[in-house]
Amino acid sequence: MATTYDFPSDLLAGQEELHQVRAELSALLKRLPWSVEPLDGFSDDNGWRKVERPASPGWTADEQAEVEKLRQREHELAVFVSTHRYWSELSGAERVWARSALKHALEASPEDSDGD
């Protein structure tokens, strides 16, 4: 039987927002061109695998600002979650297990969903 933890609501909210910010940042980076600065495309087949990139128009100032904003928020949330006072109540392996459990605390279990 898995141990359950009574995480404080602010810690749960911080972890949930951290997941959201990371997902938003990941989606944004996938949409943006591969290079921040405008660069010509290239093809290189001298390595262990062929690498090709199309020409990149670079990122706009707004895109760069959005990435920076999300990275800054991700950093703030990661610091908040990892240094939360709750962790001082646990020690050793128990702290490790609890930190792992927190990452999945808000995932819906099959019993939580009503099938709608």
Side-chain angles (χ1 to χ4, degrees):
M1 181 168 187
T3 302
T4 57
Y5 299 93
D6 188 22
F7 296 115
S9 61
D10 65 330
L11 181 56
L12 286 168
Q15 182 66 50
E16 180 178 24
E17 186 179 352
L18 181 57
H19 283 312
Q20 291 169 353
V21 167
R22 284 181 172 161
E24 191 176 335
L25 179 59
S26 176
L28 176 60
L29 292 172
K30 286 178 184 175
R31 288 193 313 267
L32 292 175
W34 63 271
S35 175
V36 176
E37 299 296 325
L39 287 175
D40 293 333
F42 67 89
S43 179
D44 181 6
D45 58 2
N46 293 326
W48 63 276
R49 65 183 177 120
K50 186 174 183 174
V51 177
E52 292 184 313
R53 297 275 189 195
S56 172
W59 297 359
T60 66
D62 288 344
E63 291 167 338
Q64 289 180 41
E66 182 65 16
V67 168
E68 180 58 31
K69 182 181 103 180
L70 289 170
R71 285 181 174 160
Q72 179 62 35
R73 186 62 183 149
E74 177 187 30
H75 177 78
E76 291 167 358
L77 290 164
V79 169
F80 171 78
V81 168
S82 64
T83 62
H84 194 278
R85 67 189 174 282
Y86 176 76
W87 304 121
S88 65
E89 299 173 12
L90 304 170
S91 63
E94 191 63 25
R95 186 180 298 166
V96 174
W97 286 109
R99 284 184 185 231
S100 181
L102 175 65
K103 293 178 182 180
H104 304 284
L106 298 170
E107 293 175 356
S109 66
E111 301 84 37
D112 293 342
S113 97
D114 59 7
D116 288 335

